[in-house]
Amino acid sequence: MSPASSPHLTTAPGHVTLSLGGVSANVAGSARSLGISDVLLVAPISDDLFGLVARKGLKERGMREDGLVEIEGGTATCGILLDERGELVGGVADMEIAERVTGEQVRDFTF
């Protein structure tokens, strides 16, 4: 069977959303929702679409944005596929940027 005729190499109708997530962002957001007003998420982002999503997500949660460390190469991204019940079917996590952030880049933040 050629790749073009394979039933596994196609797209399906659905919905796509972009949102701020990840364990650290979710923990910081939860702390903020519990009334801790000065939550600072320290995380590497790039000047790309996903970096904009991170900034917007923090702003919408009423959180500080000054903990975002700008690094070239692409903001960490996790694309997931959910079934009709919202259960995880699979996904791809590109977290390479986290390996490039250094302690020196985050140590001077004012908490």
Side-chain angles (χ1 to χ4, degrees), residues 37-55:
S37 61
D38 198 24
V39 175
L40 179 65
L41 172 66
V42 177
I45 65 166
S46 290
D47 184 18
D48 59 11
L49 175 62
F50 298 114
L52 291 173
V53 169
R55 285 192 188 282

Side-chain angles (χ1 to χ4, degrees), residues 40-41 54-56 58-59 63-69:
L40 179 65
L41 172 66
R55 285 192 188 282
K56 183 178 180 199
L58 290 176
K59 190 173 193 173
M63 296 171 60
R64 294 169 56 178
E65 300 171 48
D66 57 319
L68 298 176
V69 180

Side-chain angles (χ1 to χ4, degrees), residues 73-103:
T75 302
T77 306
C78 183
I80 59 173
L81 177 62
L82 305 175
D83 66 16
E84 63 278 355
R85 296 180 314 274
E87 299 293 323
L88 180 66
V89 174
V92 175
D94 179 356
M95 304 296 151
E96 191 268 333
I97 193 171
E99 297 170 9
R100 293 196 324 268
V101 67
T102 67

